Structures are given as C-alpha cells and as structure tokens.
Amino acid sequence: MNRSHRHGAGSGCLGTMEVKSKFGAEFRRFSLERSKPGRFEEFYGLLQHVHKIPNVDVLVAYTDVHGDLLPINNDDNYHKAVSTANPLLRVFIQKKEEADYSAFGTDTLTKKKNVLSNVLRPDNHRKKPHIVISMPQDFRPVSSIIDVDILPETHRRVRLYKYGTEKPLGFYIRDGSSVRVTPHGLEKVPGIFISRLVPGGLAQSTGLLAVNDEVLEVNGIEVSGKSLDQVTDMMIANSRNLIITVRPANQRNNVVRNSRTSGSSGQSTDNSLPGYPPQAEPSFEPEDEDSDEDDLVIEDNGAPQQIPKAVPNAESLESLAQVELSLESAQNGFVPSGEGSLAPVASGASTEFEARVPDRKLLEEDGTIITL
Amino acid sequence: MRRFLRSGHDPSRERLKRDLFQFNKTVEHGFPHQPSALGYSPSLRLLAIGTRSGAVKLYGAPGVEFMGLHRENNAVVQVCFLPGQCQLITLLDDNSLHLWSLKVKGGVSELQEDESFTLRGPPGAAPSATQITVVLPHSSCKMLYLGTESGNVFAVQVPGFRALEDRAISSDAVLQRLPEEARQRRVFEMVEALQEHPRDPNQVLIGYSRGLIVVWDLRGSRVLCHFLSSQQLDSVCWQRDGRLIVSCHSDGSYCQWAVSADTQPLEPVRSCVPYGPFPCKAITKIFWLTTKQGLPFTIFQGGMPRASYGDRHCISVVHNGQQTAFDFTSRVIDFTVLSEVDPAAAFDDPCALVVLAEEELVVIDLQTAGWPQVQPPYLASLHCSAITCSHHVSNIPLKLWERIIAAGSCQNTHFSPMEWPIDGGTSLAPTPPQRDLLLTGHEDGTVRFWDASGVCLRLLYKLSTVHVFFTDSDPSEHLGAQGEDEWPPLRKVGSFDPYSDDPRLGIQKIFLCKYSGYLAVAGTAGQVLVLELNDEAAEHSVEQAEADLLQEQEGYRWKGHERLCARPGPVRFEPGFQPFVLVQCQPPAVVTSLALHSEWRLVAFGTSHGFGLFDHQQRRQVFVKCTLHPSDQLALEGPLSRVKSLKKSLRQSFRRIRRSRVSSRKRRPAGPAGETQEGGARAERAGLQNMELAPVQRKIEARTAEDSFTGFVRTLYFADTYLRDSSRHCPSLWAGTNGGTVYAFALRVPPAERRADEPVRAEQAKEIQLMHRAPVVGILVLDGRGVPLPEPLEVAHDLSKSPDMQGGHQLLVVSEEQFKVFTLPKVSAKLKLKLTALEGSRVRRVSAAHFGSCRAEDYGEHHLAVLTNLGDIQVVSLPLLKPQVRYSCIRREDVSGIASCVFTRHGQGFYLISPSEFERFSLSTKWLVEPRCLVDSAETKNHSRPRNGSGPEKGWGRARNSGSQSDGEERSPGTVMEHALLNDERVLKEIQSTLEGDRRSYGDWRSQQVAMRTRLSCCHSPSFRSGVSGPRVQAAR
C-alpha cells in the first residue's frame, strides 16, 4: 500500500487521479479525471464494470485524509471524495447484504488502524459491540435539539419531527406560573408547561422534553400572553414539524456551548447555522415553510398527487418574496444535502415539485444534532 | 427584501387602511336580556329599561335609542326620570343611586352618567335603615325622596346628591303626629309607596307596608290625613285631582279612600277583591285613571285566584263594565300607562298600556275597542323561539322588498292601527342607503325576516315551515282555550313562545336569492325545503324526494331521531314564501351546509354523512356523494349515541378518581395505627388538593384521518369557473368537509330551452386533501382580478361588475387553520396564510366583503372578514392574504356569540349578545348604522309640533356621502345582461320588472313605508330627501 501510495504520488499528474478499489480480496486500479469526476451513478457503474459485478448491489466507501471510512452514495459525497483524495482515492466495496455498517463514521481517527483492519479482514470479530448507524440513504429527519449556538444555555429548542413514525406526538401542556426577572424585580408571570408525556409517544421517546419544562416558543412564536388553548392550537397546527423552545425543568443536562468540535464531523465546514435569530421572522422560517404541507389533489378520479407550488409570476409579490427568501436562506449556509428519500415522491410529481427539494430538510446534517 | 414588502411598514397603505377599516359596535338590536326596571318620561316621551346586568336603555321614536352601562354590573332596580328634565335616576341593587343625563354634543344627544351616591345612615345603624325601597323625584327637580326599609324617608338634593337631614321624614316623626288611636298597632315597617300629590307639590303620600297610608305636608311637617288598612299594603295611586287614593293589598284587594282635610275616614269608600272570593294573590301595582266619559280605568297587576291561576302573569284592565286580564308569556317586570301629559288637564284619558315582561315588551291600545296590541317598531323579541341560525342579505331589490312587506302585512292584521305612542326625540340618522334583510331561523321551524337596514330591527314577515309536516301539536287545542264567559277573562298577549313542538323542525341553514325570490331552508332532521315567493294564498302539494347520502355504506346504524313525516296531498299556504320541493336526507342528520343557485335552479345540501345536489326545476336528484370515513363511528350512529358515550366517559372518569383515591390509601405502608390514620388523612388531603389544583391540560396530537366527523360537510359553493381546462369555464359545485377535504364537481346545466327536459349532469373533477386536515369553513373562487365571483344573477342585475373570465381564476380554501390560494384549473398552491400556526387562533367564520373608502367616492376593496375562536375580528386582504387589521370583538368565552356571528357583504356584522339581542358591529368606515338622535327638553314642551329635521346639519355629511357612494357603486360600468347567463325568459322578465321597480322615485318607496306604519321621523324632511334621492335618480338613469 505504501508503495502504491508513493507510486501514485510520483506519477500523479495534474489532470488525473488514481483510484484503488477493493472488493472482497480483489483490487482494481484505474484513474479518473480530477476536474470532471462525473456523477455518482456513472462512478458506481464504472466500479461494477471494473469488478465485473454488474448486478450486485454494493456499498461504496472511501477513506478520507483522517483515515475515516466514509460512504459514497450520492453526487455530493462522491465529489467530496474526489476533491479530497490526495493523491490516491481508496475505495472499498462491500456487498449490500453483508455490509458492515458499524465500520463507518465516528472515532475512526484514533482507531484508524483498527477500523481499517476490520474492514479489510471482516472475519476479525470485535470485542465490544458497536452502535449500529444506518446508511445515510436511510436517514430521515429526526427529533433533535437545534439552534444550540444562538440560544441561551438555559433554553433548549427541540424539533419534534413526526415524519414516518406512527407514534403520536404524545404530550400534554398546562397553565402555570414561572418567576421572571423583570425591571421591577422578580415577578410571577403565567406560563405554559408540559404536564404529562404519553408513554411511548414521540415526545417521550426522544427524551428531549420532560414534565414541567416551560414552553417558551412554538415554531419561533413566543407563547407569552397566549392562552392554553391558543398554544394548543398552534402546536397542533404545526404538528407536522413542531419546534418548541423550552426552559427545561432540569437544567443539568443542558448542551454545553462550544462543544460542537467534538462532533463527528467537527472539521467539516458546511454545517454553519444562520446567524440571525429565527424569531425575528418567525413565520418565514424556512423549514416551517413547505416541508409540512403536501396537500393532495385527485384529478378526475385519478391517483392522488401532491399539489405543486405555483410558479411565481410577476404579479404576485408574495410568492416572489418567498422565492427570494429561500435563496437567501441557501446563501446563509444551508447547503442542500441532496436527494434524500424524504418523501415518497409520486411518479407524477412535476418539475416544480422537484425544484422545491433544496429548501426542504435543511438542518439534517447539523453537527450538533443529537440523535436518539 | 420581504421585510419591506410587509404591509405593516408601508405608510401609504397604513393611511389607506385607516380610510377603509374602522371597528365600531354600533347598536344592539332586540329585547334587552333580563330587564329589571321600567321608567317612562311623559314629557320626553322616552321609555327607559334597566337590566340585571346594569345597562340602561332609552327608547323614543323609532331610531331614537340610547344605551348606558353602569360601571358596577349590578342590577338596576328602579329607573325614574326627573320630571320634565333630560335626566334620570337609577337605583341599583347595591343601594347606589346614579344620575344620568342626555347631553347634546356635536348635534347629537348622548347618554352619560353624571354622578352616583350611596345613602349613609348614622353610624351603627342597621343596613336596612338606608336600604332604599322607593325613589320619588320631586316635581321641583331639586329633591329626591327616598323611602327605606326602616320606614324613614330621606331627602336628597340633586344634582350633587347631598342628603338634607332636616327634610327627612322619620317614622318616629310620623308616629308622633298621628292621632292616638292610630298609634296602637305597629303600623310602620318599610315604605312601600311614595307619591307626590298630583296638584300640590307640598303634599306627599307615604304608604307603609303594614297598611298605614299618610298624607304628609312637606312644608308644615305634619300629617294631613291618614288611612289605616287591615291588609299589607303593596302600592297606592292618587286620582288625578288628588281627591281619591286607591291602595292595593297583598290579599288581592284594592281600596278607595276619599281624601279630605276635614274628616278622617276610618273605612275605605269602597273595597273590592276583583277575583275573589277565594284567596287571591297580591295586587302589586294599581292605576286609577279618569276619562272624559266619566267611567275610570282601573288597571292593576296580579290579584289572580291563588289556587287556579296563581302562576299566571296578568295585568287586568277594567273599564266601563269590560274587564280583561291580559295574560303575559313571562313574568311582568313593571308596567305603566300612557295618558294625558298636561298636568292641568282634567282627565287622564289613558291611551296605551305599556308592559315590560321579562321576555318582551307589550303595548296595548286602550283607545281602540277590544284593546288590541300595538306592534312595537323596536325591542322585538328575537327569541320568541330560540334562534338557531341567521343569514344576512344585503341590498334587497325593491320589488322583493315590497312583496315581503306585503306578505308580512297580511300576518299583522290583528295589530292596532295606532301610531307608536312612544315617540320622543328626533332621529338624525340618515336613511339607510340600501335595504338589508336579516333572516333568523328558529327552533320551532319558523324563519323571521327582519328589516336590518337601519337602527330599528323590525319584523317584516314570518315564515313557518311547520305546515309541511305532521306534528304532535293539535291546532284545535288553542282554539278551545278561549271560552265566552270564562272567569277570569284571560287573554293571551305577546309572542314569546320558547316551547317547540318538535325539535326536529328547527331551522339550521337559510339561503335566499334576492333576485329570484327563491329561498332554501334546511333543518335539524335533514329536511331541505325550496320555497318560492307567491303573493297569493295557494293550496298545492309539495314535491317530496329522499336523498340517500349513505348509498352502499355497510354496517350502518342510525340511532338518532327519525325523519319528519311530511303531509301528503295539497296544503294551504299563506301569501309569502311557499314551499314546492322537500328533500329529506337519509339518514336524517342535521343539515350542516346549504347552497342555492337560482340561475341554474339547483340546490346543494350537506350533512355529516355527505352532500347532494337537487335540481328543483325538474324536481330530480342530480347526485349524492358520501363523505363518510369508514371508521367514523360517531357519525354513523347519530347524535344520541354521542350523548351516551359522553355519559359513559364521565362515569368512567369518576370511577377512575375513586379508584385512585382508594389505591393511594392502600399504598400507605403499614405502621403504627395513629400514623397510618394520619398518613391516610394526609394522603386524602393531598389527593383533594391535587384534584383541585390539577391544572387544565391540553393534549397535543396531530390530526389524523381517523378523527371523527371528518365527513361532516361544512361548506358548499357554486361557481362558474375553469375547473377542467383553462379554455372553457363551466358550472361547478365545491364542497368542503370537516376533515380538510375539498370536492369539486363539474356540472353540465342544459341551456334554457332544453332545461326542462335534459337532465343536469355532474361529474367529480377534483378532490383536494389538505394535509393539516382542519375543517374547511369557506371556499371562494377569485376571478382574474382577484375579486370574488359575484352571486348568481348579480351581474344580470347590473349590481356587480361581471367577473373577469380572461385571467386565471384562483381558488381560495379557508380552513379553520389556514387560508390557501390555489391556481385553477391545474391545482397548485400559490399562497397561504397560516393563521393558527402563527397566532393560535382558529377561523370560525369567514365571509368576503367589500370595503368602501370614506374618502374616495369610488374606491373600494374586496377582503375577507374573519371571526376567530378568540372572538377577534380580522380583515385579510384578497388575493394576497395579508392580515390588515384585527379587533377584539367578542369575549372568547362567549361561545354562542361567536357561533351566531354573521357578516354582511359590506363589512358589517351581527352576533348574539344574549338569546334575545343582536349586537351590530361595523368594520367599514363607510357603512355605519348607528343611532344618531337628539332629545331636547325644550322641544318636548311642544311635542305635537311636526318635527322637520331642523337638527344640525353637520352630522350628516359623512352619512349622506355614504348614501350616494353606494349608489355610485351600483352605477359601476358593465353592460346590462351582457354576461348574464340568462336563458330563462321568466327570470329575465322578473329582473326587468325589478329594475323598473328600482327606477321608481324614492318617494314611492317612502309612501309605501309610511303605509306600513313605520316612522322614520326626520328623514322625511324635504331637504334630506332631496339629498338622498339625487344620486339615486342618477343611478337609475
């Protein structure tokens, strides 16, 4: 390996890049044009071709500069792999049915040798069981703590993502009073609290909410001054993508600020969060905008279709503004994370619908996500 | 970028908003809820009513209304005007006195509270010592005499409310000045009656509850004479000349006493128990009124035989051998008699008896033989039978208006021809710019048509749907009740009748087409009636059809009420709206939505099971659609099982509480006996505390498709729009359900010449499922300019611009949570406003309205008027869905108020503030119906002088503008009939005749109105009339 490495370095010219691909015990070497790597599908086809496994579903992975074994399964991480390969791109191919997911990801920096040897010698059994992390294509948005960097440490913003689960949201709220520091000293003000969690419900299973947490905001809108019924209605109306900011009753488990670097992708730079506080423009928080609204239409007794968003025309200032907003948010660092199988896109989905994909599921690659 | 586009930051838009929107609660229509006191000023000719909630309302000539509210929400016990003044005194049940006055400000009188006062006794005195029982405003207008429970009479100076101790008449002082023989018994106790001598202001009559009556000389502080009755005293009355006193007593008797300074009568001149000889109830108030003819009127309240008629609320009138006991439908609060005002006149000559009962005001004409009732122009009892729904129709064509009035006048023949006798004050309000109808549906199956154009809500016509059905009530029962020589001579008066024969008759939805005169009415048992206005009485049979909304649904069991049984064969109908088609939904669930299209001759109706479309020309069902979700068990079983399940769940929750108590006790660890007991007690206490302190919880759960009542049809809408392709528009029917589903059906209505033969066809074209699944409360199609499509036949009448069929149409779907605009014909989401997600409020009612600007004559915008579950009223712009303004209008706890709200097409609205009162509010700067009136004490000196509206002119500017502006709008360009889909010759003729009707001069319509015995007071002044008729004529040209 070292030899080939040196060899690659020696023969490395500007335009091409060497690829060393391993499937089982077989190696293949070929080169790619660094500037025009092409699409992932083409690369995948090429791998199947060079290994002569045309109809076998495989998982493709590579080792990055830190020695982490990372998957290649879409254009983005393929391009990333190509751009960071220096000078050689090492590719590991596994059959999907015998794939070892545990090899991917975390902490491979310190246990590089170990992981690599694990991958290289799959029959080498580990002593301790790894946590199984599924493949990124199986990822879906999950409930998480978000906006850690812009909130006070005493507060916690939790996103309850109901997508794909049959669990009910499963919590109750009640009226109560909390003590606030005001210009006139301490004051008792009415507040809304979580009163009960339904066993087995989403709220309980995430572990992010607890009884007696005070609800401060719902989807960016402050609840102070609103009645219990109003807050209930707001939560139900936002139930497909509910973001509640709470002051946890138990303040000992707060996320400590600046701990982000310890995350798995601490070095990656594409997970910056928008710098503005979302409550400034609560109603237009991008994730609030469209991901939750997929009304269906059945035309002439045909199959149900998701209703596409109308193409903005010049007359409509409103829709114009919406498009501008989504562009703005993209500039703010929401790098579209690619084609997830987030929604079961109907076969008849129009182009407008696809055009909308980038501004959905924006926060899912957030480094501070705590996944449970 | 967006930040700058938001409406809140645009100063010119803000300015425009101020010109367009303004929130006012303008007037309360109907009968005050829980009235508790009545007052009348003969000089001002104003009636005052106090209520248990502390409101004071004054009424004079039609349109003259004032409202005042005490800061303390205590019941008003007494209301009395200061003689000859624009001032009145109210006594509340917290024993406080309040002085109110009518002050002229800016040309209009306003009622305001000046000061208040609470009578204080000497320190240490019992509170009853100062508990006021009677208030007597002295004719000098400087003094109030207050009779109290202790028997003392206090004197208080007004204004200023200064107690004058030297003028007080204590019971001791009276006792000392009584002759020896009268002092023996305990004659005092509380003061029941306090009356000034009709001729001599220095004499006051004091009646004590034990039966002693004294005439007190104010100047000499002595007893002029005294009368001692053996019975408890209830009230007294002077004869006009002061020579006779009539007292009434708790045993149902009344006595006449001759007053003379010389002899002291020991016995009454005459004593009589009118409904004896068996024990009678007390006579609580009596009037003794003289007439020119000689024989007096005796009018008294109560006195009925205790055993057989003790529960009746009666006022008896006795005159010239005639006696009638008017039997009221509810408790009599108070009554008064209108008679000669001039104190110098020799006789009372009573003209009318005004009775304030708990639920209605009844005025009886005492001058016409038979003492008929007078129809009040205001204070209508809206709740004669409970209101179940309401519907507002703006701008009624004159032709229809006249026909409805004519139909109504046939129903009002039993009323007296007397002019409304309470006619104080002058109404300065402008003539309403248009004719508006408010239709209320009632529990007893009637629909009442109210004139809602002006300040007075007046009943025009009452429609009953009962005759179509067999009911339990037997009509002969009512006839048999009145025998010839019945004693006591009872006569039922009043219209309040809250007892419904059959709750299934209740009206739930009303839809009136003002151009064609077609009316659709739907009720509780799934009945849908289509009615047509007919000026003649007719006998015909009603076509019947059944709409099976379930179709082939399996496993169905309806446990609710049965459907109504219709009368077969011809039925005789009065002139007015006569039913010709009856569709009965099966299962007979409440009709929850209704739409009528008079041009296409179609009626659509929906229940909790589905909806149907009926062709009322061919009398044929076009289609039905079941909207039930298979798992919707509640809807399947009907309303009764729902009640049962509630009961069951209550029972379960009680069991759960009991169980938890028991288990908490059991769980206590076994320790020393005392400790256990103590612990148990503590646990119980804690449990109790927990129960009391357990806060209200709300479950947070996403709506799922399995929620019950998703199939409930909330809204139906007809539109001529591009449903299928963008080149051809076609008739369509839209339906929205409780589960957030919208169905669209393309209709094929054959052209007029083949309309009677070819069937109407319908085909489902679209179905939209809103993912948030909130109930759909409104569907609207906007034309190419973003303006809501006009009503059917509206364009044909040249009252609306024809819709823009060129540009793309848009569909607006309003759910309880969101407003969404979709493009048509290809449904794609364009805009939305997520109301609930942002504010936590939900849409309860929504209606498109036109808002005119108060500055620019011809400027106006179409917007949505929205009522939320928090009682807030919002305006949301069309077509961009931007919130414009928000006002809090109804208390959020007032569920019935929010449920009863109805918007008009011009930014006004009504909601029920009590079962009997509509509050009218206005969101528009331009359309404002509010009382503007002037009461002048100088003017009243000569009230018979014809008022000619010489009131100040400046108040009219805006109002007059509004009249002309509205006409200007009607004048809007648009060629007559060009765009009308009129292919029916008859409709065309009808329209033409209506237009001609409109063209008639305003004077005609006025004379018609006068013939209907309505009085619009000053509005008839020549100058004003020309001001209004000017633009009107122009409009017609």
Side-chain angles (χ1 to χ4, degrees), chain A residues 229 232-233 236, chain B residues 703 774-775 815-817 835-836 839-845 866-870:
Chain A
D229 289 332
T232 308
D233 283 342
I236 290 172
Chain B
R703 241 188 285 268
S815 75
E816 277 193 3
E817 297 188 354
L835 189 75
T836 309
E839 292 178 6
S841 56
R842 306 165 67 140
V843 179
R844 278 280 173 270
R845 209 145 297 244
V866 180
L867 173 75
T868 69
N869 65 333
L870 304 177

Side-chain angles (χ1 to χ4, degrees), chain B residues 944-963:
Chain B
S944 55
R945 172 171 58 95
R947 279 180 292 277
N948 56 4
S950 56
E953 300 273 342
K954 56 189 164 197
W956 299 2
R958 182 181 61 180
R960 209 167 351 162
N961 262 353
S962 71

Side-chain angles (χ1 to χ4, degrees), chain A residues 272-298:
Chain A
S272 62
L273 278 153
Y276 62 91
Q279 54 265 51
E281 293 273 311
S283 54
F284 310 113
E285 218 174 299
E287 66 251 276
D288 167 60
E289 257 311 306
D290 288 305
S291 54
D292 55 338
E293 291 291 320
D294 304 317
D295 297 344
L296 296 176
V297 63
I298 302 172

Side-chain angles (χ1 to χ4, degrees), chain B residues 240-261:
Chain B
R240 195 172 183 87
D241 55 8
R243 293 205 191 129
L244 190 75
I245 289 171
V246 183
S247 63
C248 56
H249 303 276
S250 62
D251 64 338
S253 67
Y254 67 87
C255 305
Q256 299 166 8
W257 309 82
V259 183
S260 79

